[in-house]
Amino acid sequence: MASFRYHALPGFGEECREKYGFSDACLIGNRLVVTGQTGMDPLTRETSPKIEEQIAQAFKNIDDLIIRTLVKEGHTIEEGHSGWDYVVKLHAFFVGLSGMRAVARENMVHYIKKWCPRHQPLFTMVGIESLPFPEHLVEFEVDVWIP
């Protein structure tokens, strides 16, 4: 597995690598697989109780992780672009989706359009029973293609 290169966000992401043995992202050739980004600020470890703020933070975490990984790997980010410009697929997992379906869908559409103004990534939104930390209501996974 030497050809796989693993990365994590500072703070909680790096702690998870050390404590639990898993990473936030794996670079495989021109593909970056990103997993487990929640609505928690990885540096402060704070999580808003509001789903809208958790969604916004999860989008930011994904962007920060993609940019950090690409820069560390020597890639140049086009001026005016974000990490989301390279996302081809988004999976969003929501705790209690049936009770917040309209709010979750509305916020996801808003942030997909905000972060992906030049393309329309594949998108799946799924309701789940729970996440490992009870305050987390949303978790994202994305697949990234690096040109």
Side-chain angles (χ1 to χ4, degrees):
M1 294 210 194
S3 63
F4 298 159
R5 294 187 304 281
Y6 296 96
H7 295 270
L9 281 173
F12 188 70
E14 291 172 344
E15 180 182 315
C16 286
R17 287 182 81 176
E18 304 240 342
K19 266 183 154 174
Y20 308 117
F22 60 83
S23 299
D24 289 334
C26 180
L27 188 63
I28 311 162
N30 283 2
R31 181 177 181 215
L32 178 65
V33 180
V34 175
T35 190
Q37 297 306 303
T38 67
M40 177 181 70
D41 183 306
L43 294 176
T44 67
R45 292 173 173 74
E46 292 179 10
T47 304
S48 170
K50 297 179 181 177
I51 188 61
E52 300 87 350
E53 292 177 14
Q54 287 195 33
I55 292 169
Q57 182 68 51
F59 269 89
K60 181 183 181 316
N61 292 348
I62 293 284
D63 185 59
D64 290 348
L65 180 55
I66 293 169
I67 296 294
R68 177 181 173 83
T69 300
L70 294 181
V71 168
K72 283 184 95 171
E73 290 287 337
H75 294 276
T76 304
I77 307 300
E78 293 181 49
E79 189 170 330
H81 285 238
S82 74
W84 281 93
D85 284 303
Y86 306 97
V87 170
V88 295
K89 187 172 188 177
L90 164 62
H91 286 136
F93 303 93
F94 285 86
V95 175
L97 180 61
S98 61
M100 66 167 118
R101 185 175 288 123
V103 170
R105 186 176 44 239
E106 185 179 294
N107 276 269
M108 291 303 296
V109 168
H110 168 77
Y111 285 107
I112 289 170
K113 287 182 175 184
K114 174 186 174 180
W115 286 97
C116 304
R118 288 173 274 282
H119 73 294
Q120 295 78 41
L122 304 172
F123 171 54
T124 301
M125 188 165 88
V126 177
I128 59 173
E129 182 180 327
S130 65
L131 287 165
F133 296 93
E135 66 273 19
H136 295 171
L137 302 174
V138 64
E139 184 168 318
F140 292 170
E141 294 181 345
V142 299
D143 284 326
V144 177
W145 180 255
I146 306 160

